[in-house]
Amino acid sequence: MAYAERLGRKWRARYKRPDGTYGSEPGFDTKTAAEQWGEEQESQIRRRTWIDPDEGEIKFGDFAERWLSVSRLAINTEAKYRSQLRSRILPQWEDWPLIAIVNNHLEVQGWVNELHDELADSTVASVFSFFSTIMNAAVRSRKIPANPCHGVRVTSGEAEIERQVATPVQVLRAALRMEELAGMEGFVLTLLDAYTGARWSELISQRPGAYDRVNKQFPVRRPLREAAGQIEEAPRPKSPAGRRWIQLPPFLAILYEWLLDHCSHRRVFTGVRGGVLRRSNFARRFWRPAWDGDPDNPDPRARVPAILPGFTFHEGRHTQRTWLADDHIPEVARAARLGHKLTGMADVYEHVTPEMQRAVLTALQARWEASVQELTPQERRRLIDVVPAELAKEIAESDGLAGE
């Protein structure tokens, strides 16, 4: 039974712990208050809901490091988490006992508000989500009774930046610029980005022998991931739904197969010397100049108009999904193409049919053909010079240039 003992002018509660030893808590003004607190501890122990008060005294920094050491994380995820810990989370919470954070909800809200003063909403949300993940782990580990992040307002109220969606002709014009900057690989990679919605890691991991020439499709099995300067082959896609085959519309199959026929490396898309493409270098040297142009160059001869300033490789996924929605492709087919999982019972009862797959390829082929017609005559002639003979003939015939 719990009991109370006097300590000077205060009372201390004594209660029996699960291991048979006695715990204590000082600082009560009355004997009754101390006894009631001790009895509550023993009641929680009997209900198996008790949390040892000493466990909550563990410092946040120590618990976060322990959590990272036992979590199975991809190298890029771990690198991201450690960067957020070092730069944004530990400066505030490293020496705080876990239980002290629980008891200071307003302090947590104030910290989030300060992050908004210097970071974008999306970055704040990412940092806060990781912080909340650690606190949830502390709850599951029975270090603290609740997650102090619940109820914290994360967004600043500012309008979120909308993802950009490129038109087919913008994609084609950017691809032509990429051909000038990075060769045929850059041309095809730009088109694959928008016309498949595949992730960067999924595209640069492709090997020539993996392509299915009969069904005009390539598999997503072991994407490449990069973090802290290291690149590794992931054992599996980002999610089970990410493991899929991606079919190519006819024009893109011609381009991709031409690239495979001229490939002399272990992977389809590589650096100049056959090494793995690094996203940051690719974006800086090729992607940004292609999309952003150089409209403010003082030399008129070097001045290049922008196509869609700021358009990112990842926005190719948004572009693909938006195109398919605009073409009335069913949600289940859109999700399957991008490697997304449908929510709720739709994931159980809805399936992609061959008719849906044909509709996807037909819609994408139509967008390509329309984009070719939107080019200027000079741009179409340039396109004919770039693409393989089979595709060049189709373009010339549709444009009335055959035989010229």
Side-chain angles (χ1 to χ4, degrees):
M1 289 289 293
Y3 63 94
E5 58 185 16
R6 184 182 289 276
L7 285 179
R9 295 184 178 181
K10 297 286 186 178
W11 291 85
R12 177 170 63 185
R14 299 279 287 174
Y15 61 97
K16 195 171 185 178
R17 300 159 60 98
D19 60 4
T21 62
Y22 274 83
S24 64
E25 180 71 16
F28 295 94
D29 293 329
T30 67
K31 178 180 180 181
T32 300
E35 289 175 340
Q36 289 177 343
W37 189 89
E39 289 169 357
E40 176 61 25
Q41 303 310 301
E42 292 186 349
S43 175
Q44 292 178 12
I45 291 171
R46 289 191 294 272
R47 295 196 305 266
R48 300 181 185 276
T49 61
W50 180 73
I51 296 176
D52 187 344
D54 292 340
E55 294 291 334
E57 297 300 324
I58 297 175
K59 292 183 178 180
F60 175 87
D62 294 336
F63 182 81
E65 181 58 40
R66 184 178 177 186
W67 181 84
L68 281 172
S69 69
V70 300
S71 298
R72 298 178 60 187
L73 302 172
I75 60 169
N76 52 341
T77 302
E78 181 175 353
K80 171 187 172 183
Y81 283 169
R82 289 194 177 278
S83 175
Q84 290 179 344
L85 269 176
R86 180 177 61 255
S87 62
R88 303 297 176 186
I89 300 177
L90 291 183
Q92 170 69 25
W93 304 112
E94 182 174 15
D95 295 325
W96 279 62
L98 293 174
I99 193 62
I101 302 177
V102 173
N103 295 329
N104 281 273
H105 172 84
L106 293 180
E107 191 77 23
V108 176
Q109 182 68 74
W111 170 64
V112 171
N113 294 345
E114 290 177 0
L115 291 179
H116 277 298
D117 291 340
E118 53 180 306
L119 302 174
D121 279 8
S122 59
T123 304
V124 175
S126 178
V127 171
F128 182 76
S129 176
F130 176 43
F131 177 69
S132 182
T133 295
I134 295 176
M135 299 308 291
N136 272 331
V139 173
R140 292 192 298 271
S141 300
R142 304 189 66 77
K143 307 297 183 186
I144 53 177
N147 186 345
C149 297
H150 292 165
V152 173
R153 185 171 180 269
V154 180
T155 61
S156 66
E158 299 175 359
E160 293 186 4
I161 299 175
E162 292 187 9
R163 292 290 187 178
Q164 297 190 96
V165 174
T167 65
V169 71
Q170 286 175 324
V171 172
L172 181 50
R173 284 181 170 135
L176 286 170
R177 283 191 186 172
M178 285 292 293
E179 194 277 334
E180 296 178 1
L181 297 168
M184 196 62 175
E185 286 185 16
F187 178 79
V188 177
L189 186 56
T190 303
L191 293 171
L192 283 170
D193 176 46
Y195 280 87
T196 69
R199 299 177 176 88
W200 167 267
S201 60
E202 296 170 344
L203 289 174
I204 66 167
S205 67
Q206 291 303 313
R207 298 178 183 274
Y211 180 70
D212 178 358
R213 289 180 180 263
V214 174
N215 296 301
K216 311 299 183 185
Q217 60 187 6
F218 61 80
V220 175
R221 293 292 181 266
R222 303 193 67 180
L224 292 180
R225 54 195 184 189
E226 179 179 353
Q230 300 181 48
I231 296 179
E232 68 173 14
E233 195 174 63
R236 64 190 68 84
K238 190 173 184 179
S239 68
R243 186 180 177 87
R244 65 200 189 280
W245 286 90
I246 300 179
Q247 289 186 298
L248 302 181
F251 85 91
L252 197 48
I254 293 173
L255 290 168
Y256 191 66
E257 289 174 13
W258 184 94
L259 207 59
L260 297 182
D261 292 339
H262 294 79
C263 181
S264 58
H265 302 295
R266 294 175 61 245
R267 300 192 187 277
V268 180
F269 301 103
T270 65
V272 177
R273 300 180 181 178
V276 177
L277 278 179
R278 292 184 178 271
R279 188 168 189 160
S280 58
N281 291 341
F282 178 83
R284 183 180 67 256
R285 295 180 58 189
F286 307 120
W287 191 262
R288 290 270 54 85
W291 287 93
D292 298 348
D294 191 6
D296 299 323
N297 195 303
D299 183 355
R301 293 170 298 179
R303 196 171 299 154
V304 180
I307 295 175
L308 186 57
F311 186 80
T312 65
F313 197 92
H314 184 74
E315 285 174 325
R317 284 175 65 76
H318 294 264
T319 295
Q320 167 73 174
R321 181 117 186 183
T322 302
W323 286 358
L324 295 180
D326 193 42
D327 291 328
H328 308 291
I329 301 299
E331 169 68 11
V332 63
R334 304 200 304 266
R337 188 161 180 83
L338 273 73
H340 289 161
K341 182 180 183 294
L342 289 178
T343 58
M345 296 306 293
D347 187 58
V348 178
Y349 291 107
E350 294 185 22
H351 305 281
V352 180
T353 65
E355 290 75 15
M356 290 181 189
Q357 293 175 325
R358 285 192 289 272
V360 168
L361 300 181
T362 299
L364 294 176
Q365 181 70 19
R367 284 183 175 273
W368 158 260
E369 293 171 358
S371 72
V372 172
Q373 294 306 310
E374 288 187 58
L375 295 176
T376 65
Q378 181 179 0
E379 288 173 327
R380 281 197 294 276
R381 291 180 184 278
R382 163 84 176 123
L383 178 61
I384 289 173
D385 291 338
V386 166
V387 300
E390 178 183 355
L391 193 55
K393 182 179 179 181
E394 292 180 7
I395 297 170
E397 289 177 347
S398 67
D399 201 41
L401 298 175
E404 293 189 12

